[in-house]
Amino acid sequence: MPPARATAPREDKMTAPRLRQLVIAAETLEAADQLGELLELGAPFVDPGVKEFGLENRVYALGDQFLEVVVPMADSAPARRFIDRVGEGGYMAIFQTDDLNALRARVDGMGIRRVWNIDLPDISASHLHPADIGGAIVSVDEARPAGSWRWGGPAWRDNTVPGRLVSAAMEAPDPDGLAARWALALGLTVDERVLYLEDAAIVFREGPVEKLAAFGLYRPDADAILSRAEAMGLDVDGREIRFAGVGLSLLE
């Protein structure tokens, strides 16, 4: 994956959306525990609000960004249908914007359905239908203040570890078409199948089905993580670890 055009986290207005959270759908919470062990993450947040979607979850802080594992607890949960259809894997990408009203108007004009909306004093959010945006559930959220993040829990700053989300890779039979849809929705321009965000990049590449295929991560102890992955019996290919249907690519 190409590196993001990195900037330091900011409390003021953004010029482009940020990649704030990536989500894996897994069969059991053991996957969440294993992810925490693999990456040596801090204590996770358990969000009771995800019961609305038939889920249990664990949310880990990485810098001021987040990795989440969701597990379906009801047969009616959309995540259950996702796993039954394609197996464990990348389920959702959450972006932060400083103008959610404009984005809502834009996606409405594109015919992209908003399947869930919330407006709270500290955050507003909209989930975009994966059948319309393509590849994954996309959530776009406006946090107030910009450096906060309700979904990480009240103590995320105490539990975070050094690192950041660098990129995400989307696969599709038509990566150019998928990239164009995401770019229009997020108000960005495609640059050779890459969308450059405020502090990360979304890469689009060819694949047999539309899916959120890989997460690019930076952790200062990447070599130790790769050794730990091998000791845990995970598939390691170069600097990418196969974990719960997702490639975890570690930045050198």
Side-chain angles (χ1 to χ4, degrees):
M1 294 184 188
R5 294 170 180 170
T7 59
R10 293 166 47 175
E11 294 285 336
D12 57 339
K13 291 290 185 178
M14 298 172 291
T15 57
R18 289 193 65 199
L19 177 60
R20 203 70 197 272
Q21 189 163 327
L22 290 170
V23 184
I24 297 170
E27 285 282 6
T28 71
L29 288 171
E30 290 179 0
D33 295 337
Q34 190 178 39
L35 182 65
E37 178 185 355
L38 172 66
L39 299 178
E40 288 195 333
L41 302 170
F45 173 57
V46 180
D47 185 356
V50 300
K51 291 181 180 178
E52 175 183 352
F53 307 105
L55 302 172
E56 287 194 20
N57 78 338
R58 300 290 185 268
V59 183
Y60 294 97
L62 186 66
D64 70 341
Q65 297 163 299
F66 302 85
L67 286 169
E68 179 181 7
V69 176
V70 298
V71 175
M73 306 306 292
D75 291 341
S76 59
R80 177 74 271 158
R81 297 193 295 272
F82 170 86
I83 292 173
D84 289 345
R85 187 174 70 254
V86 301
E88 295 180 318
Y91 183 62
M92 186 176 189
I94 305 178
F95 300 95
Q96 182 179 353
T97 180
D98 56 16
D99 193 349
L100 184 57
N101 286 336
L103 185 135
R104 283 171 168 171
R106 185 163 58 249
V107 298
D108 289 349
M110 294 173 62
I112 294 175
R113 290 167 286 176
R114 292 189 273 130
V115 296
W116 185 78
N117 302 280
I118 194 167
D119 292 285
L120 301 170
D122 61 330
I123 200 163
S124 296
S126 289
H127 292 184
L128 309 184
H129 200 302
D132 297 342
I133 187 72
I137 299 173
V138 169
S139 182
V140 187
D141 302 28
E142 182 175 350
R144 295 176 289 272
S148 66
W149 200 245
R150 168 183 279 262
W151 317 130
W156 69 262
R157 288 182 175 86
D158 297 326
N159 295 319
T160 193
V161 298
R164 64 188 182 95
L165 302 178
V166 175
S167 57
M170 301 297 305
E171 290 185 354
D174 178 15
D176 295 303
L178 184 61
R181 280 200 305 282
W182 280 50
L184 285 172
L186 295 173
L188 297 171
T189 301
V190 182
D191 182 356
E192 296 183 348
R193 292 186 177 176
V194 179
L195 300 183
Y196 288 101
L197 308 173
E198 175 75 0
D199 55 357
I202 309 298
V203 181
F204 296 82
R205 63 196 192 195
E206 291 185 8
V209 297
E210 289 187 354
K211 67 177 182 179
L212 177 52
F215 303 168
L217 312 173
Y218 169 73
R219 284 281 280 130
D221 54 351
D223 289 337
I225 292 170
L226 291 167
S227 296
R228 193 156 50 245
E230 291 177 344
M232 294 168 70
L234 298 172
D235 182 16
V236 179
D237 182 6
R239 301 191 70 81
E240 182 168 287
I241 302 163
R242 294 300 302 172
F243 179 86
V246 174
L248 302 179
S249 297
L250 298 177
L251 185 71
E252 295 189 57

